[in-house]
Amino acid sequence: MKHFQLPTGEKIPALGLGTYLSPPEKIERAILSALDAGYRHIDCAAIYGNEKHIGAVLKKAFNQYPRKDLWITSKLWCDAHKPEDVLPALTRTLEDLGLDYLDLYLIHWPVALKRGVELPETKEDYLTLEEVPLRTTWRAMEDCADRGIVRNIGVSNFSTKKLTALLSTAAIPPAVNQIEMHPYQQQRVQVAFAKKHDITLTAYCPLGSVGEARTTRKGCTPPPLLKHPLIMTIAKKHGSTAAQVLIAWLLKQDIVAIPKSVTPERIQENFKGSELSLDANDMRVIAELDMGARIIDGKVFTLHNSPYTFENLWDGEC
């Protein structure tokens, strides 16, 4: 398995199993199948609502796969951005997962909500970034790293503008930015920024999502990536699947991919994407598919007279 080195010197596995929307009753089979296939990286988040179930599976898995050989990521939800709430949130995640430490902990969104709010339903559910600046949340994340209960810290869904502001005050620079990335959303500004500042990118939704790319620069709805004629042609050329091509495209750029699946056969197929090598022509033609399409556009945080707008959430990087 390919790994990428972070500023701490630790190496994050290039391919991980995503667990967003993974039903609790299917978690065990998915994770154990992934570990058997060769995955050593599991991506979690408190808001996914399945960390206790994942923890039960990890307890079983540790009989065969030592903790030190696995990479476990989780994320701080928006209702715990106040500095005094960060450590308790991390502690709950560790308890749910049955772990003494995380390999990576991320600020999930650059959005602050009042304590106990999962998704905003009224204007009163929001806190502004003036009330709870990202730099103060980050200082609390740094404190967690100093305590040794998280080995690396980072962010998710942060624009380069927000990253620039964070870097100007951070004692520990963010090691990772987890963002949506696939051929329809190639994030070229983020890729260049990450290389310049030694930040590793992790791509969520790396396989796209059937018929759900809602927001595009060109104002159109693209066809499903897994059925795009160009991707299918490249897959046929290499004797691979479309999903394997999409995973290989990311790994070729030194970007971590976390495809989500609960189907053992598909999990095993996806893992083989780490063994596929695309050529220069493959990369060139895939580059032409970029259209700024987002599946996860964050608009849920812009409702109910929110202080957050699509424009100030993404800072023009859409």
Side-chain angles (χ1 to χ4, degrees):
M1 167 60 65
K2 190 174 184 179
H3 289 72
F4 304 130
Q5 186 164 308
L6 302 183
T8 57
E10 297 201 36
K11 295 181 179 180
I12 181 171
L15 185 60
L17 179 71
T19 61
Y20 176 54
L21 296 181
S22 294
E25 67 274 12
K26 295 184 178 182
I27 282 285
E28 180 171 347
R29 191 178 181 207
I31 291 177
L32 295 180
S33 296
L35 294 175
D36 289 343
Y39 291 77
R40 294 296 180 267
H41 176 177
I42 309 295
D43 183 84
C44 315
I47 194 62
Y48 298 168
N50 53 16
E51 288 193 327
K52 284 187 177 181
H53 297 87
I54 292 171
V57 181
L58 291 176
K59 185 177 180 180
K60 293 181 181 179
F62 290 152
N63 293 324
Q64 183 175 354
Y65 304 99
R67 170 67 183 99
K68 65 181 179 60
D69 292 343
L70 303 187
W71 183 281
I72 311 296
T73 296
S74 189
K75 308 176 192 77
L76 177 79
W77 188 238
C78 305
D79 71 331
H81 274 215
K82 288 186 176 181
E84 63 270 23
D85 292 333
V86 173
L87 179 58
L90 173 55
T91 300
R92 284 193 297 274
T93 277
L94 289 171
E95 289 174 352
D96 287 346
L97 292 173
L99 302 177
D100 296 323
Y101 68 92
L102 289 176
D103 297 280
L104 177 63
Y105 197 43
L106 308 175
I107 298 177
H108 205 150
W109 285 88
V111 171
L113 301 174
K114 289 186 177 177
R115 187 182 301 166
V117 175
E118 289 192 356
L119 291 174
E121 297 180 354
T122 69
K123 182 179 180 180
E124 288 68 36
D125 288 337
Y126 294 99
L127 295 169
T128 69
L129 294 185
E130 288 71 35
E131 293 174 293
V132 189
L134 293 171
R135 65 179 180 274
T136 63
T137 305
W138 187 253
R139 286 190 192 119
M141 296 280 285
E142 292 174 330
D143 177 64
C144 293
D146 290 340
R147 291 170 181 262
I149 52 176
V150 56
R151 301 284 176 84
N152 301 271
I153 53 176
V155 297
S156 180
N157 298 302
F158 271 50
S159 67
T160 60
K161 179 179 178 180
K162 291 182 176 69
L163 279 168
T164 297
L166 194 59
L167 285 167
S168 70
T169 60
I172 302 174
V176 169
N177 187 17
Q178 185 176 126
I179 56 176
E180 179 179 341
M181 192 170 176
H182 44 73
Y184 288 156
Q185 177 58 268
Q186 298 194 19
Q187 300 275 17
R188 289 170 183 163
V189 171
Q190 286 275 8
V191 170
F193 186 92
K195 287 181 179 178
K196 181 178 179 180
H197 295 280
D198 195 22
I199 296 171
T200 294
L201 294 178
T202 295
Y204 68 76
C205 295
L207 309 182
S209 185
V210 178
E212 291 187 10
R214 298 187 296 271
T215 307
T216 76
R217 286 194 298 268
K218 298 180 180 180
C220 61
T221 300
L225 260 174
L226 290 172
K227 295 183 179 179
H228 193 286
L230 175 62
I231 301 299
M232 294 177 72
T233 297
I234 295 173
K236 184 177 180 180
K237 166 184 164 183
H238 290 282
S240 66
T241 68
Q244 288 165 0
V245 169
L246 297 174
I247 290 166
W249 175 76
L250 288 162
L251 302 192
K252 183 86 169 181
Q253 301 174 76
D254 292 340
I255 293 165
V256 177
I258 49 169
K260 174 257 175 181
S261 179
V262 294
T263 306
E265 295 77 17
R266 193 161 297 156
I267 289 170
Q268 293 165 6
E269 278 188 1
N270 289 347
F271 186 78
K272 292 179 182 178
S274 64
E275 302 167 1
L276 173 62
S277 179
L278 301 182
D279 59 40
N281 187 63
D282 297 331
M283 298 299 288
R284 180 185 62 79
V285 295
I286 292 174
E288 297 172 1
L289 297 181
D290 190 21
M291 61 176 66
R294 284 194 184 275
I295 297 163
I296 308 297
D297 58 18
K299 285 188 176 178
V300 67
F301 299 119
T302 68
L303 308 175
H304 313 295
N305 295 313
S306 169
Y308 302 94
T309 65
F310 188 77
E311 290 72 23
N312 69 31
L313 181 62
W314 300 112
D315 296 312
E317 295 172 17
C318 54

